[in-house]
Amino acid sequence: MRSMNETSRQVVLVVTAAFLVPTCCLAFVPQSTTISSRHVDGSALDALPTMIIGPMIKKMRENQAKKRMPMVDDSEARGQAPGLRVGGNAWKWPPIWPYDQNFFTPNEDIQIPNAPSQMNPMQGMLMGGMQIPDTEEAQNTEDKNVETLDEVKYWGEEKVDTKTNLDEDAAARLTRHYAFYLQDGMSILEFGAAEESYLPKNMKFNRHVGVGLNGKLMDQNPSLTDKLIVNLNNVIEEKGVDSDELKMLASEPFDAVIMANTIDFLTHPREVFKSAWQLLKPGGIMIVPFSTRKAYADRFERAQTKVWRDYNDDQHMWVAGSFFQFSAGNGWENLLGFDISPESAKNNLENNGPLSMFQKGKDNNIYVVQASKAFSDDSIDEENPEKSISSRMWMLPTMEERDKQLVVPRLGRVYRRTRNPLQKEVIADHIALLPTVYEALIKMDQFSFTFEMQSQLAADLVLDPDFKANDEQMIALKQGLGLRTPSPQFWKPVGELTGAMEISDKINLLAYLVPRFGSGNPAQEDALTAFATGLKPTFSVIRSKCPDLPESDVQLLGTELLCAEILFPDRSTKEEFATWLGSMTEEDFKDILALRKQFNDEAKQELTAFREEQAEMQRQREEVQKRYKEQVAKARKERTMAFNPKSGKFEELKKN
């Protein structure tokens, strides 16, 4: 027979391992208590001393109940379907796409590449003209060879007869949700279509196009009016699904896009959501239902991505919401998350802990994340150009939301200030060139070229009427940034001779120089050569007449004068410029320098003032929301009548 000490030790080991109960709980254990040494699971629950685990389970349940509280304002819940869990004001996002591609790869297909070599392109023009290897050359990486999933074969052959068989209760909840947001006469596009769409039987839609890889199951779907065999995982990075047939549907955009139980198989979700946005009418809705990760893992686990296998249901909701945010940003509005699980379902949200072993119910949980396509401005609003410019950038590839938020105020500020109609046209037309610029700029992320600097250079380039983002200009930009080996005739001497300039002034110089390339005009080519060869003698003249001027100011003043008179054809010849430069006095030079610096200061002040104005507007909006919530809370506390759902009547509240 065991001694009391042996029994106590066993209680400590078993209970602590399973429930993290502190040893002080042994004070509640009767001397006759014995616990089986087998693993504690649902079948052994009765063997556990209830006085030990009861308070712990209760506390855990209370904590998890708090986590499952809906994050939604009362005002948001009005007019929405039942089950709203995450309101539009609750979502929080990082500034850039936060996922590694492995997140969206089946575990069996994940490859582990060698770490790429590191090099610093800031050693180029911006850091003194040092030559470095071309960072665009292929890097030597070796991947582990694995046999990856053939999606076309998997869905079109191996699983051609395998149905989802969504739980009946869950299907009914999904149908009810669809009925709330869809209407007769709508046109519906369904991504990942199969044998059943779960749409209300009493609704008649104008057309219903199914998109997927299982044509046999789509043929069994009575709701579909058309079908397209398309692999949603075959994409053009940053742009959308690579299917001409799918793109052609944009000529008649849809009222709604639905995508049930498909998100867990998407290897490039951002591109799929981009395509959905492009195929929707403004104001159209995208509804993305998904089941708990265990719902059909026995049938389709091989195709489920890592993020779906490893994360819980609550995390899946936030991940799904992020696909809306990072596909079109503010191009989506009214982003909402629902838990529409039937009463027979387990309470899976935020539940990966010890209590999961005691969960009762079925794995038929079902959730929905949805949003509507916002209306973009057809023209630039003179009163609020930032809003219009932002709407034109919703679907621009390459650029992160962080970059868009930095560029928009700069372009908006210039648009407000200028009275030149041509300059306004340039801004409107050149917004589409930003992705090409950022294809180069994003390679500067890992170096000391900040996001603010990137936005400054990008905005300055697209504001230039001569900038077309053609091949010659992009090569010039990369050489100027040091991303390619600087040309010995131009960028190498320019980089070496302007090494003392402040980084903001170098960015301004790049914005002057890059648009002059690729013009096809021999006179412009000659002007570029004259600029490069004129730097050294110009700096020498300024130093001789302004001996106390810092070298950074000498280089700033000299490049400004050359840009103004030599960089553009037919302004001044080299001889005329040299004569004029020789006639300048120290006072003349310092006056020009003061004006140049004043321009910088004014630009910074205007940008700071704009940001402060935007921050104040945001603060006022938050204050209004806060007051509204306080008023609602006060009204609830002081009200004397309330609606009784049991009686269906308003009744007087009983005071405690």
Side-chain angles (χ1 to χ4, degrees):
M1 183 173 178
R2 288 189 182 91
S3 66
M4 180 57 198
N5 289 337
E6 291 174 333
T7 302
S8 300
R9 282 197 297 271
Q10 190 173 23
V11 169
V12 172
L13 291 174
V14 174
V15 174
T16 303
F19 302 101
L20 305 179
V21 178
T23 55
C24 62
C25 289
L26 287 174
F28 296 97
V29 184
Q31 290 188 6
S32 59
T33 299
T34 59
I35 300 179
S36 171
S37 61
R38 63 185 173 177
H39 289 294
V40 179
D41 56 21
S43 61
L45 181 59
D46 293 338
L48 293 170
T50 57
M51 292 189 71
I52 295 177
I53 69 170
M56 197 66 182
I57 291 177
K58 181 179 179 182
K59 184 176 181 180
M60 286 182 173
R61 285 175 174 164
E62 289 174 350
N63 289 338
Q64 290 180 348
K66 291 179 182 177
K67 292 181 180 180
R68 291 192 296 269
M69 289 290 289
M71 291 169 282
V72 56
D73 296 336
D74 291 339
S75 58
E76 290 182 300
R78 295 192 191 98
Q80 303 296 344
L84 182 59
R85 173 172 167 76
V86 184
N89 296 323
W91 305 97
K92 302 294 181 186
W93 316 114
I96 62 172
W97 178 247
Y99 306 109
D100 182 87
Q101 184 54 42
N102 282 343
F103 277 82
F104 308 114
T105 304
N107 287 337
E108 296 83 353
D109 296 349
I110 293 177
Q111 300 181 5
I112 306 175
N114 294 331
S117 59
Q118 298 294 322
M119 58 180 62
N120 190 342
M122 291 297 292
Q123 298 298 323
M125 181 266 180
L126 290 177
M127 294 297 287
M130 238 174 130
Q131 295 188 33
I132 60 170
D134 192 336
T135 60
E136 290 191 336
E137 296 174 359
Q139 296 175 342
N140 295 323
T141 58
E142 296 179 1
D143 291 345
K144 178 179 67 176
N145 292 325
V146 297
E147 185 177 350
T148 58
L149 179 69
D150 185 335
E151 293 151 341
V152 175
K153 181 179 179 181
Y154 183 82
W155 296 108
E157 297 178 21
E158 295 177 24
K159 298 296 181 179
V160 69
D161 293 313
T162 306
K163 298 182 178 181
T164 305
N165 292 329
L166 188 62
D167 174 83
E168 183 178 348
D169 293 339
R173 290 296 182 99
L174 178 54
T175 300
R176 184 180 72 173
H177 189 86
Y178 280 149
F180 196 94
Y181 292 100
L182 304 180
Q183 300 176 10
D184 286 330
M186 278 186 167
S187 56
I188 309 293
L189 177 64
E190 181 173 4
F191 282 170
E195 77 283 355
E196 176 61 65
S197 297
Y198 312 106
L199 294 169
K201 303 299 182 185
N202 61 338
M203 282 190 177
K204 303 299 180 185
F205 300 106
N206 182 38
R207 63 175 173 148
H208 179 186
V209 180
V211 177
L213 283 173
N214 196 326
K216 183 176 180 180
L217 290 185
M218 282 195 283
D219 287 338
Q220 300 173 26
N221 189 327
S223 299
L224 298 181
T225 58
D226 299 284
K227 70 174 183 180
L228 289 179
I229 303 299
V230 173
N231 182 6
L232 293 174
N233 288 336
N234 180 25
V235 305
I236 300 175
E237 191 173 352
E238 296 280 356
K239 293 187 177 179
V241 178
D242 187 11
S243 167
D244 291 336
E245 287 183 291
L246 191 62
K247 293 173 186 175
M248 288 174 63
L249 296 177
S251 61
E252 294 183 57
F254 293 83
D255 296 297
V257 173
I258 60 176
M259 186 172 67
N261 295 326
T262 298
I263 194 173
D264 38 339
F265 308 119
L266 298 180
T267 59
H268 297 86
R270 179 160 52 167
E271 282 74 14
V272 174
F273 278 66
K274 283 179 180 290
S275 288
W277 191 92
Q278 292 163 344
L279 293 166
L280 271 175
K281 296 176 182 177
I285 189 171
M286 183 177 184
I287 303 176
V288 183
F290 57 88
S291 299
T292 187
R293 59 183 175 177
K294 300 177 183 178
Y296 42 70
D298 57 329
R299 281 156 282 166
F300 306 119
E301 185 179 49
R302 176 65 182 88
Q304 284 182 318
T305 58
K306 176 179 176 62
V307 70
W308 220 259
R309 292 200 211 175
D310 296 353
Y311 283 26
N312 63 33
D313 294 339
D314 196 46
Q315 292 166 328
H316 288 161
M317 183 174 292
W318 290 90
V319 169
S322 74
F323 298 158
F324 284 96
Q325 167 66 17
F326 289 108
S327 61
N330 292 332
W332 295 107
E333 58 186 12
N334 199 28
L335 177 60
L336 302 172
F338 296 82
D339 179 357
I340 59 171
S341 302
E343 294 179 0
S344 58
K346 289 182 181 179
N347 202 354
N348 278 343
L349 284 182
E350 283 283 3
N351 189 17
N352 278 340
L355 290 182
S356 59
M357 67 179 73
F358 306 129
Q359 284 279 326
K360 295 182 179 180
K362 297 189 288 185
D363 286 319
N364 61 352
N365 306 69
I366 189 164
Y367 311 94
V368 175
V369 179
Q370 65 187 48
S372 299
K373 180 176 179 176
F375 288 80
S376 59
D377 294 348
D378 295 328
S379 58
I380 305 294
D381 185 348
E382 297 290 332
E383 298 297 324
N384 190 0
E386 291 82 9
K387 171 180 172 294
S388 303
I389 293 170
S390 177
S391 73
R392 293 192 174 200
M393 297 171 66
W394 286 338
M395 288 298 290
L396 291 184
T398 305
M399 295 183 68
E400 299 285 1
E401 194 63 26
R402 169 206 65 203
D403 301 320
K404 296 174 184 176
Q405 292 175 2
L406 290 172
V407 171
V408 166
R410 294 181 181 277
L411 297 180
R413 178 168 55 88
V414 175
Y415 194 95
R416 286 173 180 273
R417 188 176 58 190
T418 185
R419 298 186 180 276
N420 184 348
L422 177 60
Q423 180 70 76
K424 292 186 175 183
E425 288 181 18
V426 168
I427 295 173
D429 294 341
H430 282 196
I431 291 172
L433 303 180
L434 284 166
T436 306
V437 176
Y438 268 92
E439 285 177 6
L441 294 182
I442 57 176
K443 297 173 184 176
M444 308 295 289
D445 279 3
Q446 57 186 314
F447 308 110
S448 55
F449 197 56
T450 67
F451 306 134
E452 281 279 1
M453 295 174 186
Q454 294 177 31
S455 67
Q456 177 188 336
L457 179 54
D460 288 347
L461 285 172
V462 300
L463 287 170
D464 194 308
D466 293 330
F467 183 70
K468 309 299 180 187
N470 56 38
D471 291 342
E472 292 87 349
Q473 290 174 346
M474 294 311 300
I475 290 173
L477 175 61
K478 291 170 185 176
Q479 289 184 354
L481 291 170
L483 293 170
R484 297 186 66 144
T485 304
S487 59
Q489 297 82 14
F490 188 85
W491 289 110
K492 186 174 184 295
V494 170
E496 290 173 342
L497 293 170
T498 59
M501 288 175 62
E502 293 184 8
I503 189 68
S504 59
D505 293 326
K506 280 197 171 189
I507 292 171
N508 186 66
L509 177 57
L510 271 176
Y512 269 121
L513 298 176
V514 170
R516 311 286 81 80
F517 286 84
S519 66
N521 180 3
Q524 179 65 82
E525 298 298 323
D526 291 342
L528 284 166
T529 301
F531 175 89
T533 57
L535 287 171
K536 189 176 291 187
T538 300
F539 293 166
S540 296
V541 172
I542 296 174
R543 290 191 196 103
S544 67
K545 297 198 174 190
C546 305
D548 60 338
L549 209 59
E551 183 60 23
S552 59
D553 286 347
V554 170
Q555 294 176 9
L556 171 60
L557 182 55
T559 54
E560 286 287 314
L561 296 177
L562 285 165
C563 285
E565 295 297 327
I566 295 296
L567 188 59
F568 295 86
D570 303 325
R571 288 194 178 179
S572 298
T573 65
K574 289 190 291 185
E575 293 76 14
E576 291 170 340
F577 179 75
T579 301
W580 173 77
L581 196 67
S583 67
M584 297 287 285
T585 65
E586 179 179 5
E587 186 178 353
D588 293 333
F589 281 134
K590 290 186 175 180
D591 286 344
I592 294 173
L593 184 62
L595 286 173
R596 172 63 176 78
K597 290 190 171 184
Q598 182 182 351
F599 173 79
N600 270 4
D601 292 341
E602 289 175 352
K604 290 178 182 178
Q605 290 172 5
E606 287 183 18
L607 189 58
T608 300
F610 171 77
R611 287 178 178 158
E612 291 175 350
E613 179 185 345
Q614 296 294 101
E616 176 61 21
M617 290 174 63
Q618 177 63 25
R619 189 196 66 77
Q620 291 177 3
R621 286 193 293 267
E622 291 174 355
E623 183 65 27
V624 169
Q625 281 189 338
K626 180 181 177 182
R627 288 201 301 269
Y628 173 76
K629 290 179 181 178
E630 291 173 349
Q631 291 171 359
V632 171
K634 182 179 179 182
R636 282 180 167 178
K637 185 177 181 180
E638 297 178 353
R639 66 183 177 181
T640 58
M641 299 288 289
F643 182 76
N644 186 339
K646 294 183 179 180
S647 66
K649 300 177 181 178
F650 281 94
E651 298 176 359
E652 187 172 351
L653 289 173
K654 295 181 180 180
K655 302 293 184 180
N656 292 329

